[in-house]
Amino acid sequence: MSDLVRSADAEVAQAKTAAKIMVYSDDRATRAEVRTAVGRRPGKGAPTIEWFEAATEFGVLDLLEQEVFDLLILDGEAAKVGGMGLAKQLKDEVQNCPPILLLIARPQDEWLARWSTAEDTTTFPINPREIQQKVTRLIGVQAR
């Protein structure tokens, strides 16, 4: 890489080859939509993404025991156990909990997302540019 192209973003990308992100939703289509919207590399200088998926609360907890994640993306509208309640539980119970991005149905639900102590929210329908910017910012927060 030439010195002209080298930047702080490039150094971050070189230092970290992949960011581990878990996406939780009971809906397979929602998980696929998140992966597609974020892509393999969400922003300039960002590391590539290694995706993990969970469809249940138990799947999330199991994956958290097995892996160290840079970001959790939780569906606030998931059936049985919604992402907002799960976010609150994880922030209260998991030591060194990774940042959480909540998917919410309505902007009016943002107050409840704040209660959950998630770092950020995005609304349905998913805006690819917005979610990419938020993911890029949030994975930069989690240092390894």
Side-chain angles (χ1 to χ4, degrees):
M1 176 180 294
S2 82
D3 289 335
L4 295 175
V5 179
R6 190 172 194 83
S7 68
D9 286 343
E11 289 171 8
V12 168
Q14 281 183 343
K16 186 174 188 176
T17 58
K20 293 182 179 182
I21 298 178
M22 181 195 323
V23 59
Y24 161 70
S25 178
D26 63 322
D27 183 0
R28 181 180 310 170
T30 298
R31 295 191 310 265
E33 183 180 1
V34 169
R35 285 191 331 272
T36 300
V38 174
R40 290 216 5 99
R41 186 177 302 241
K44 182 179 178 183
T48 58
I49 304 297
E50 184 178 351
W51 289 103
F52 295 79
E53 294 186 17
T56 66
E57 171 191 17
F58 301 109
V60 170
L61 298 174
D62 189 45
L63 281 171
L64 281 171
E65 288 181 8
Q66 297 174 32
E67 298 287 339
V68 175
F69 290 97
D70 298 288
L71 177 64
L72 306 177
I73 301 176
L74 307 179
D75 180 0
E77 305 303 313
K80 294 188 182 180
V81 179
M84 287 185 234
L86 184 56
K88 179 69 171 156
Q89 176 186 349
L90 295 175
K91 289 294 186 173
D92 288 347
E93 297 176 3
V94 174
Q95 189 174 10
N96 299 320
C97 185
I100 295 175
L101 176 63
L102 271 176
L103 305 173
I104 58 176
R106 306 172 310 148
Q108 298 90 329
D109 293 335
E110 196 162 334
W111 71 271
L112 191 54
R114 282 193 304 275
W115 164 84
S116 76
T117 65
E119 279 72 12
D120 209 343
T121 63
T122 192
T123 57
F124 289 109
I126 295 172
N127 177 323
R129 180 177 296 273
E130 179 182 314
I131 198 169
Q132 288 169 356
Q133 290 172 345
K134 290 181 179 199
V135 165
T136 300
R137 182 178 56 77
L138 289 170
I139 61 177
V141 169
Q142 184 74 5
R144 285 193 177 221

